[in-house]
Amino acid sequence: MSRRNAWSGMNAADITIDQVRAGALQLDDVRIHPDTLIAQADVAAEYGNQQLAENFLRAAELTALPDEQVMAIYEALRPHRSTAQELATIVNALKAAGAQRNAALVAEAAQIYAQRGLLRQD
Amino acid sequence: MTIGRYRFMNEQPVNLDGFAAVNPDLGLIAFNSPNDPAPGLDIDDGRVVFMDGKHQAQFDIVDEFIARHGLDLTVADEAMAIDDATYAHMLIDPGVSRAECVRLAGGMTPAKLAKALSVLRPAELVMAVTKCRARKTPSNQAHVTNRSDDPLLLAADAALAAAFGFREIETTVPVLGDAPSNAIAVSIGAAVGSPGVLVQCSVEEAMELEMGMRGLVSYAETVSLYGTEQIFIDGDDTPWSKAFLTSGYASRGIKMRVTSGGGAEALMGAAEGCSMFYLEARCVALARAIGSQGVQNGGIDSASVAGSVPGGAKAMMAENLMVMLRALESCTGNDALMSESDVRRTSRTHPIFIAGTDFICSGFGSIQRYDNMFGPSQWNAEDLDDYLAMQRDWGVDGGLRTPDEHEVARLRERAAHAVRDVYAILGLADFTDQWLAQAIDAAGSKDVPDADLMTPLTASRLIRDTKVTMLDVIAALDEAGYDIEAQRMLDMLIARVSGDYLQTSAIFDESMHVLSAITDPNDYAGPGTGYSPSLQRQVQIDAIRQQQSVLDISARQLQHANSRLSVIGPAQRSDDPRDVVIGVSPATGQAIWQTLCGLGVDQGLDELLAGLEEEGCVGRIVRFTDTIDLGLIGLQAARMSGSGIGIGLQAKGTALIHRRDLSPLANLELYSVAPSLDRAAYRQLGLNAGRHAKGATPQPQRNPYSDEAIEARYHTKVVALVAIERQFVDGSSPQQLELDQP
């Protein structure tokens, strides 16, 4: 992979133990950049795994979400956790964050959960 | 009344195992349940409207996700139309590439792939796995856990696992709250042992993701998939939640694979009457559909259920092959112990071991059985030497190597010290010197009585409360002077930025190069192709610590050297009827001083002489240097002795009684099992030789055979000792020796 820039913009090649020592390094400096995931998706597709590519593209979108939100959406997608309305809210939030593929995934889940009785009944 | 032979057989370990009669209704059937659907696929306007016996409206959540995301519809018509045997044939034909097999599998429904693979015979599975695994270089994964979540012991054991060659380490907790401490301790230990070892801490899904996000683990594996809707929901997930979780890991640059395994649905009582293999085919299709790069399967936690039905071991290996055909990383079970029988568990693993996979074990218990908090593994610390010997026997790379013992001791010490220092700097815990010393030396947690159970719990609470990240750990390591390890752990974080280890079957080699389906693709295409260990790697496989050369054995003999035997002069024939010659072999008293039973050769001679004396005979020691053959030595001794009776003694301890009128191989008494002899046996041999000399009746000796693998234990030494004997064959005339008093 040619692209080595972290989420923060720092180039991975520039990361040194001295920065760790100085307390100058943050987790964002060792966090993957969405462009890298998009490039990895291209590699996966080129090697014939469209589903892995799709996963990397969803992941690229999720890089923008804070850890807590990622964990909260996962929790919401578990069976009998969310009402149709709650899932719709998540879909909208994902769309607003530019996470179209994840929004589609959650929208699809909402549809199937309704069919299979996996929504939370209040 | 059970007869003795059956009472005896009933006591064998295999009879502790459960064997289930086939029962399709309960899912207790490996392949081809009568309730498995016939393979089928209808596509309308680019959408799957019928799959494996169900119309779209009847799809459960597993069908639905596979139908929407899992299949390559562009090859579906071609793939579904292929005859099962034809496809099975392609899998073992070296002329058909892995890529072609994978391409067609993409268009096969779960039922279709299950049916086609059920055609394969065991040896064909070995061939297919050899060709179809994704990564060329095989590897292995270790469990590192202990009963006390002792951070020092975890670190020492992780360093040991890395030194033995494991490229992934999985830890877990008996106490959920201890997870962050375990993750950190194992990561530090692994970094001490080797660069590039991936570490995971298997706990509940959400907590595992959280630890990954904080950099505390470098991969995840405990993302379970199930083959029926009911079990999926019982597992508190859906294919959509798992797909999202999968992307969540990738979004933080963390490697992840999912877990499934035949028998899980039967174990949880909702197999819907289907075969284990068909349900697993659904899991694997789903794994591909959600975008996971890999799967650990092959029974896993339900291995003993899968193993309980006819064809169960074969089905578990076929599960692995199915993962490979979906072009995913295959972490091939051999995880939870599936049998009390050493024979059965070896039989279950062996075909996978010789074929080679991305990870032979999805959890080789590198710690002792009792310390494995997943439960005992199929392979454990008890079996490390066995496994290394098996690699050597077959010339196979099973992912492990023999480290130097002193180096392992050094690494354990360094790892335990490193964790103590880091926990002190981060204010997580203080460890006593005694605890530290116990952990370094320990073979298991029972050897660390000073471990305090509250320490990991308190440390973990502090890690969570103060939001300690791996960067903090690395800074602390660096501050404590562990530069190399700090850099190694930093490299693992930096690897997240490039994301290369998110691709299929990725591991790091010790130079931090990613080996994956992309960078190290399996190119097997028949004999002489595909993976072959490098020269350096072959040495690691072959040079187990127990191997001995002739030089080693010579050196050990030298430690027992003494000067009790000395040459008097050329040996003469005697006319004394009481004279019995003890003929000894060429190297006796020159290079071989100890027999195979551990007795000094001189002590054996003491007993022979004493036995003869008791019978009123006089023993005389003569060394023959024209032959190493014991029959000839004994016969020559008999011909030289006044009584016509001779004793032959090889320095390694084998002995016989001979008579001058017999042919070389027709001796009177043979004491052939030298390792089982002792002073008393040599005394009796001397007595009997004396009785033969006098024409009296000797006392018969019972053959000392036992159930021990005497030949396995001693034949290596025998070959060396015989070679040493041969060095002293010079054709010179026999010499009479004198045995001084000790």
Side-chain angles (χ1 to χ4, degrees):
Chain A
M1 291 297 301
S2 51
R3 182 152 193 117
R4 301 270 288 166
N5 280 352
W7 171 261
S8 65
M10 183 182 283
N11 191 298
D14 298 335
I15 296 174
T16 65
I17 200 79
D18 292 335
Q19 291 165 318
V20 179
R21 201 172 294 151
L25 211 61
Q26 308 300 316
L27 275 183
D28 282 353
D29 298 321
V30 288
R31 186 164 149 192
I32 197 163
H33 192 279
D35 291 349
T36 309
L37 282 161
I38 291 167
Q40 293 291 3
D42 289 342
V43 173
E46 186 191 327
Y47 281 80
N49 193 335
Q50 199 53 54
Q51 290 84 356
L52 184 59
E54 182 66 23
N55 173 37
F56 291 156
L57 293 176
R58 284 196 304 264
E61 295 178 352
L62 295 182
T63 55
L65 273 53
D67 294 352
E68 293 69 24
Q69 194 181 355
V70 172
M71 288 190 281
I73 297 174
Y74 168 60
E75 181 63 23
L77 281 171
R78 287 181 146 179
H80 308 299
R81 292 295 199 288
S82 305
T83 62
Q85 185 52 49
E86 284 165 344
L87 288 179
T89 305
I90 292 172
V91 170
N92 289 333
L94 285 166
K95 278 183 183 162
Q100 300 300 331
R101 290 169 189 274
N102 285 282
L105 183 80
V106 177
E108 185 179 284
Q111 180 207 334
I112 304 300
Y113 288 10
Q115 288 170 15
R116 304 298 299 175
L118 298 176
L119 294 169
R120 193 181 84 236
Q121 306 298 328
D122 279 339
Chain B
M1 173 73 188
T2 309
I3 62 171
R5 184 58 79 90
Y6 279 83
R7 291 198 303 277
F8 172 72
M9 291 200 296
N10 289 346
E11 285 166 9
Q12 304 307 314
V14 70
N15 289 313
L16 292 167
D17 292 350
F19 294 94
V22 167
N23 187 333
D25 290 339
L26 297 179
L28 290 172
I29 181 166
F31 296 97
N32 299 320
S33 166
N35 304 316
D36 287 351
L41 187 67
D42 289 338
I43 301 163
D44 182 31
D45 195 20
R47 287 182 69 93
V48 173
V49 294
F50 176 88
M51 185 176 77
D52 294 346
K54 284 186 210 163
H55 292 282
Q56 193 179 357
Q58 304 162 292
F59 284 174
D60 64 17
I61 53 174
V62 178
D63 298 310
E64 190 73 49
F65 204 96
I66 294 168
R68 284 173 182 249
H69 303 284
L71 304 176
D72 181 355
L73 300 184
T74 64
V75 298
D77 287 347
E78 179 189 358
M80 292 301 288
I82 290 180
D83 173 63
D84 293 333
T86 304
Y87 186 65
H89 195 277
M90 292 172 72
L91 296 178
I92 64 154
D93 180 350
V96 179
S97 70
R98 170 184 180 271
E100 177 62 3
C101 299
V102 163
R103 184 186 73 84
L104 287 168
M108 292 185 188
T109 63
K112 173 66 182 174
L113 195 52
K115 204 149 165 290
L117 296 194
S118 69
V119 172
L120 291 169
R121 297 192 178 108
E124 293 161 350
L125 280 173
V126 173
M127 292 306 302
V129 165
T130 302
K131 180 169 89 176
C132 295
R133 75 165 180 267
R135 192 199 320 121
K136 184 170 175 171
T137 310
S139 76
N140 218 332
Q141 182 198 106
H143 288 166
V144 174
T145 61
N146 63 60
R147 299 176 311 161
S148 346
D149 287 333
D150 173 358
L152 302 182
L153 184 59
L154 285 169
D157 285 344
L160 178 144
F164 271 82
F166 292 102
R167 298 312 292 164
E168 281 188 353
I169 294 177
E170 178 180 24
T171 188
T172 191
V173 286
V175 179
L176 182 64
D178 291 348
S181 168
N182 283 25
I184 289 174
V186 170
S187 294
I188 292 173
V192 170
S194 165
V197 175
L198 292 161
V199 173
Q200 63 152 324
C201 182
S202 170
V203 285
E204 187 275 328
E205 266 90 344
M207 187 167 188
E208 195 164 334
L209 177 63
E210 184 194 329
M211 287 199 293
M213 286 171 161
R214 306 247 301 268
L216 301 183
V217 293
S218 42
Y219 80 105
E221 179 179 69
T222 318
V223 178
S224 301
L225 302 185
Y226 302 99
T228 64
E229 181 171 286
Q230 185 57 52
I231 302 299
F232 228 114
I233 292 164
D234 290 349
D236 203 16
D237 264 302
T238 75
W240 286 266
S241 66
K242 292 295 192 189
F244 185 83
L245 184 61
T246 304
S247 302
Y249 277 108
S251 75
R252 267 55 180 176
I254 305 166
K255 175 180 175 170
M256 186 278 263
R257 75 171 68 89
V258 297
T259 297
S260 55
E265 296 82 5
L267 185 61
M268 297 192 224
E272 298 176 1
C274 294
S275 70
M276 296 175 190
F277 194 54
Y278 166 65
L279 293 179
E280 185 57 21
R282 289 160 58 86
C283 294
V284 175
L286 185 61
R288 169 77 188 228
I290 68 173
S292 171
Q293 66 78 34
V295 179
Q296 84 164 326
N297 73 351
I300 312 298
D301 289 345
S302 45
S304 50
V305 178
S308 75
V309 297
K314 182 182 150 190
M316 284 192 271
M317 183 172 184
E319 289 177 15
N320 304 143
L321 176 60
M322 185 135 41
V323 171
M324 299 169 197
L325 292 170
R326 296 274 183 211
L328 303 177
E329 174 187 64
S330 179
C331 199
T332 50
N334 296 305
D335 193 321
L337 183 61
M338 58 77 79
S339 174
E340 290 283 2
S341 155
D342 292 340
V343 177
R344 280 192 83 215
R345 67 185 172 92
T346 306
S347 155
R348 180 262 185 274
T349 298
H350 202 262
I352 293 168
F353 167 77
I354 57 174
T357 65
D358 292 331
F359 298 89
I360 311 291
C361 300
S362 62
F364 186 126
S366 68
I367 62 294
Q368 287 190 58
R369 284 187 179 199
Y370 74 75
D371 263 334
N372 197 325
M373 293 301 110
F374 296 98
S377 276
Q378 180 82 346
W379 298 86
N380 302 282
E382 288 84 343
D383 312 307
L384 268 170
D385 281 331
D386 291 82
Y387 192 89
L388 290 166
M390 280 167 53
Q391 287 192 150
R392 186 178 191 264
D393 291 342
W394 291 89
V396 151
D397 187 341
L400 302 196
R401 63 185 173 198
T402 298
D404 176 73
E405 183 183 335
H406 300 293
E407 177 64 2
V408 170
R410 187 188 72 82
L411 293 172
R412 289 185 68 91
E413 186 172 0
R414 190 168 170 86
H417 275 278
V419 164
R420 180 163 84 160
D421 294 351
V422 166
Y423 277 46
I425 289 170
L426 295 176
L428 302 176
D430 291 316
F431 299 92
T432 64
D433 289 344
Q434 200 166 329
W435 181 350
L436 183 83
Q438 288 170 359
I440 291 167
D441 183 63
S445 63
K446 289 178 183 171
D447 303 330
V448 194
D450 277 38
D452 170 26
L453 299 180
M454 280 309 292
T455 298
L457 201 58
T458 309
S460 291
R461 186 177 51 71
L462 289 169
I463 292 164
R464 294 191 84 172
D465 290 353
T466 61
K467 297 199 179 305
V468 169
T469 73
M470 210 53 131
L471 286 171
D472 302 319
V473 173
I474 293 168
L477 257 183
D478 179 70
E479 185 184 332
Y482 298 91
D483 313 8
I484 297 169
E485 289 79 4
Q487 186 64 52
R488 286 176 180 175
M489 292 183 73
L490 183 60
D491 287 343
M492 293 302 284
L493 289 182
I494 294 172
R496 294 183 173 204
V497 176
S498 72
D500 291 338
Y501 93 111
L502 300 176
Q503 297 287 352
T504 306
S505 302
I507 54 171
F508 295 99
D509 68 12
E510 290 193 278
S511 311
M512 287 303 288
H513 296 125
V514 170
L515 301 180
S516 69
I518 311 295
T519 64
D520 184 34
N522 183 13
D523 56 0
Y524 180 82
T529 68
Y531 179 77
S532 159
S534 67
L535 221 56
Q536 186 195 6
R537 179 73 189 113
Q538 195 66 55
V539 169
Q540 289 184 340
I541 291 167
D542 294 347
I544 60 173
R545 66 196 172 92
Q546 301 90 341
Q547 73 174 6
Q548 301 180 67
S549 66
V550 175
L551 280 178
D552 295 329
I553 289 166
S554 288
R556 208 153 303 149
Q557 282 291 335
L558 209 54
Q559 293 170 1
H560 301 279
N562 63 61
S563 53
R564 287 188 63 201
L565 278 171
S566 53
V567 177
I568 301 172
Q572 308 291 339
R573 222 187 126 157
S574 164
D575 294 324
D576 180 353
R578 297 178 309 147
D579 175 64
V580 174
V581 170
I582 302 171
V584 297
S585 59
T588 303
Q590 306 205 72
I592 303 176
W593 285 274
Q594 191 189 43
T595 75
L596 290 175
C597 74
L599 200 62
V601 180
D602 55 325
Q603 295 168 320
L605 287 168
D606 284 336
E607 297 299 332
L608 291 175
L609 292 169
L612 288 167
E613 192 180 334
E614 270 185 51
E615 289 296 328
C617 294
V618 179
R620 185 156 63 95
I621 302 168
V622 174
R623 183 163 64 211
F624 294 89
T625 52
D626 57 341
T627 180
I628 65 165
D629 181 82
L630 185 60
L632 274 177
I633 291 170
L635 183 61
Q636 292 187 75
R639 287 178 179 163
M640 195 170 272
S641 76
S643 65
I645 293 296
I647 294 174
L649 175 69
Q650 276 178 333
K652 69 183 173 68
T654 311
L656 52 70
I657 303 174
H658 228 306
R659 202 174 65 202
R660 70 159 72 106
D661 58 328
L662 300 175
S663 68
L665 293 179
N667 54 70
L668 293 173
E669 287 184 27
L670 176 63
Y671 293 61
S672 64
V673 190
S676 303
L677 299 178
D678 54 13
R679 276 181 178 273
Y682 288 110
R683 173 67 67 106
Q684 187 62 47
L685 194 152
L687 285 167
N688 281 0
R691 290 181 189 179
H692 280 295
K694 295 193 302 187
T697 307
Q699 182 182 323
Q701 293 236 61
R702 189 184 283 275
N703 200 323
Y705 282 128
S706 69
D707 61 352
E708 293 167 344
I710 289 292
E711 296 184 349
R713 290 191 196 185
Y714 294 101
H715 268 179
T716 315
K717 271 191 194 165
V718 168
V719 169
L721 293 174
V722 166
I724 294 168
E725 291 276 18
R726 206 170 284 287
Q727 289 167 12
F728 286 86
V729 173
D730 57 9
S732 59
S733 46
Q735 292 191 298
Q736 190 161 329
L737 307 181
E738 187 174 51
L739 183 65
D740 293 343
Q741 287 307 308

